[in-house]
Amino acid sequence: MNEQLTLQDIYRARQRIAGLTLRTPLVRSESLSRRWNCEAWLKLDCLQPTGAFKLRGAVNALLGLDAAQRRRGVVTMSTGNFGRALAYAGQHLGIPVKVCISRLVPQNKVEALRQSGAELVIHGEAQDEADVEARRLRDEQGLAYVSPFDDPLVIAGQGTCGLEIMEEQPDIDMLFAGLSGGGLIAGIGLAVKSINPRAEVIGVSMNQGAAMLESLAAGHPLQVPEVASLADSLGGGIGLDNAWSFAMTQRYMDRGYKVDEAQIARAMLHFLREEKLLVEGAAAVGVAAVEQHQLDLSGRRVAFVVSGQNLSTATFAEACRLAGERPYENL
């Protein structure tokens, strides 16, 4: 990392992206506040136009391109949500977008990408293989490559989510967010720590395929096998040549947790029953971490980033099975 992002970069990102993204609600969860004897707040970034927080970084990245790059277009790799966000932004800004995905991406996200206006390329059995293809297309066709997480403009865009949280709850004690490539945690961490250094930033990954947590434990980026999960948005590697998100996650994340599939399933069911929200597994991992690791939140102000709602019926049915429920029963 040759330079550092600052809070000013996040403020600039907010000005840029305002026309294409929403300032999403931060709502108090009465059920979680009672359960854990705390103030629990839900940042509903699942309400962005593309159904996930990824739109913030995608818009900021495209608005940072020069005129020649805009004409040639961009390419990315994605587990679904970033590709959809980049395609949406590209349509509104007149920028051609190619999205490379692996065969692990759920069918509902594949279909959404097919309808998004992007050129879709399905390549490989895991996100890392799709990334190799995206970089090949960059070199072959002269496209601008946009990483879903390891890009300063993307990170600054995702940081606007943290800025909004801090403007409404500046005395927050803890913030939970899903951890994959680290773009969200890096951006949110910068925003939160710049405004309230004592606040804890906590990242949560699934048990298997937690590339960033494994890399942090090793002290350098690792390649970790990708495994299918209810939290499919958190799959994939962080890149062995990671230039931004690894170092920023090291700096700004206080703790990281892994959660198992059954606990993710139960957290997803909580959101539907108690919060009346149908969300992805990646959006529920913070709640899953508190339950699985029996974290004491008594008397704390705690925020959870509810990151996305692009959930297939098949994934929801699997969540019900793992939670020991019949789909749609007692919901």
Side-chain angles (χ1 to χ4, degrees):
M1 205 166 60
N2 297 324
E3 56 184 291
Q4 289 189 357
L5 288 174
T6 68
L7 185 61
Q8 190 62 36
D9 292 304
I10 296 176
Y11 276 109
R12 279 194 287 265
R14 179 162 68 177
Q15 288 182 312
R16 283 198 205 101
I17 71 176
L20 287 176
T21 64
L22 298 179
R23 182 186 179 104
T24 55
L26 181 68
V27 300
R28 181 180 162 115
S29 168
E30 296 302 329
S31 62
L32 294 178
S33 296
R34 286 193 304 270
R35 182 188 299 182
W36 297 327
N37 189 32
C38 68
E39 285 186 24
W41 298 87
L42 305 177
K43 179 61 171 170
L44 301 183
D45 243 40
C46 54
L47 300 182
Q48 291 291 350
T50 57
F53 77 94
K54 295 280 192 179
L55 187 60
R56 298 173 182 269
V59 172
N60 198 41
L62 290 191
L63 289 174
L65 298 174
D66 63 32
Q69 289 172 323
R70 289 187 182 205
R71 284 193 300 272
R72 287 194 297 269
V74 302
V75 63
T76 191
M77 57 86 172
S78 176
T79 54
N81 285 340
F82 187 77
R84 187 172 179 179
L86 204 67
Y88 177 91
Q91 272 198 321
H92 281 79
L93 298 171
I95 300 171
V97 174
K98 278 188 171 70
V99 180
C100 297
I101 63 172
S102 79
R103 295 183 184 91
L104 274 181
V105 173
Q107 193 60 35
N108 69 303
K109 292 184 178 180
V110 175
E111 291 306 316
L113 280 165
R114 290 193 197 283
Q115 297 168 23
S116 70
E119 182 179 333
L120 183 62
V121 179
I122 301 175
H123 180 88
E125 302 302 322
Q127 180 178 285
D128 288 343
E129 294 176 39
D131 190 35
V132 170
E133 178 66 7
R135 292 171 189 265
R136 188 190 69 78
L137 291 171
R138 172 198 63 189
D139 297 339
E140 180 183 274
Q141 301 177 13
L143 305 174
Y145 172 82
V146 182
S147 169
F149 51 84
D150 192 34
D151 180 293
L153 290 174
V154 170
I155 291 169
Q158 317 306 25
T160 62
C161 177
L163 183 59
E164 291 172 14
I165 292 170
M166 297 310 293
E167 287 176 337
E168 295 187 43
Q169 291 292 327
D171 294 326
I172 207 109
D173 296 301
M174 305 167 77
L175 185 145
F176 288 81
L179 177 63
S180 179
L184 178 61
I185 284 285
I188 284 181
L190 171 58
V192 169
K193 297 288 191 179
S194 297
I195 295 168
N196 180 2
R198 70 172 184 78
E200 283 192 280
V201 175
I202 300 167
V204 187
S205 299
M206 58 281 176
N207 264 351
Q208 294 182 293
M212 182 60 83
L213 285 179
E214 297 294 336
S215 297
L216 291 170
H220 57 86
L222 294 176
Q223 193 162 15
V224 175
E226 187 173 353
V227 178
S229 171
L230 291 174
D232 55 85
S233 296
L234 301 184
I238 69 167
L240 295 180
D241 58 350
N242 190 293
W244 289 90
S245 64
F246 176 74
M248 291 185 70
T249 301
Q250 268 187 323
R251 180 174 182 181
Y252 295 117
M253 190 178 80
D254 296 285
R255 286 186 275 160
Y257 291 101
K258 294 180 182 179
V259 287
D260 62 36
E261 295 297 300
Q263 198 67 61
I264 296 172
R266 286 189 284 270
M268 292 168 70
L269 269 290
H270 162 83
F271 272 97
L272 186 56
R273 276 203 190 94
E274 302 296 336
E275 316 297 346
K276 309 308 176 190
L277 292 167
L278 187 60
V279 302
E280 299 177 41
V285 292
V287 170
V290 176
E291 292 291 318
Q292 182 168 330
H293 298 281
Q294 299 182 357
L295 304 181
D296 183 5
L297 306 186
S298 299
R300 305 286 190 91
R301 292 186 181 91
V302 187
F304 297 86
V305 178
V306 185
S307 54
Q309 61 179 9
N310 296 320
L311 175 69
S312 71
T313 52
T315 302
F316 178 67
E318 175 64 6
C320 290
R321 185 189 70 79
L322 288 173
E325 303 273 358
R326 292 183 180 178
Y328 317 114
E329 185 179 79
N330 301 320
L331 299 178

